[in-house]
Amino acid sequence: IDERAAAEFFEKKIRPLLAKHCYECHAHDKASESGQLAVDSRAALLKGGDRGPIVVPSKPDQSLLLKAVQYGDPKLQMPPEGKLSDTEIELLTRWITDGAFVPDYG
């Protein structure tokens, strides 16, 4: 997948999903209250929080983000207000499988 297509996929599909379900608790200015986890930049996603990196590019099976949204572990279920739709989980899986591209605006 080329960088332009990856950036477009992120901006149209992934950022809105993260903004809707994650940023309220896991933006950089809230991370100290939420397991030191922020999901609003590539560096933050790769660094992760108290449990380590939540996204391992190209390795969805090793990405805690997917474990959390799939509700497979009773101790790790995000977002807390309810499980994401299958479509949203598929989008996140595709994004991670394709390398978890996040545009760098810094």
Side-chain angles (χ1 to χ4, degrees), residues 88-103:
E88 290 170 318
I89 293 170
E90 287 169 15
L91 288 170
L92 288 170
T93 303
R94 177 177 157 201
W95 171 63
I96 293 170
T97 300
D98 288 347
F101 182 83
V102 178

Side-chain angles (χ1 to χ4, degrees), residues 1 7 9 11 16 23-27 38 42 45 47 56 61 65 70 72 75 81 87 97 99:
I1 189 168
F9 182 77
E11 292 301 342
Y23 288 177
E24 182 179 340
C25 299
H26 294 291
R42 181 170 178 84
L45 285 163
K47 178 181 175 228
V56 180
D61 56 322
L65 176 63
Q70 289 167 338
K75 295 179 184 171
E81 69 272 5
T87 300
T97 300

Side-chain angles (χ1 to χ4, degrees), residues 6 9 14 18 21 27 31 34-35 51 59 66 68-70 78 86 92 94-95 97-99:
F9 182 77
I14 302 303
L18 294 175
H21 297 290
S34 304
R51 296 176 183 230
K59 297 183 179 178
L66 289 180
V69 300
Q70 289 167 338
M78 290 290 156
D86 290 345
L92 288 170
R94 177 177 157 201
W95 171 63
T97 300
D98 288 347

Side-chain angles (χ1 to χ4, degrees), residues 3-4 6 8-11 20 22 24 26 28-29 32 34 37 40-41 44 46 48 50 59 73 80 86 88 92 97:
E3 190 170 302
R4 188 166 157 209
E8 185 174 327
F9 182 77
F10 179 81
E11 292 301 342
K20 180 179 177 183
C22 309
E24 182 179 340
H26 294 291
H28 70 280
D29 58 341
S32 63
S34 304
L37 176 62
D40 55 355
S41 73
L46 295 176
D50 293 343
K59 297 183 179 178
D73 179 343
D86 290 345
E88 290 170 318
L92 288 170
T97 300

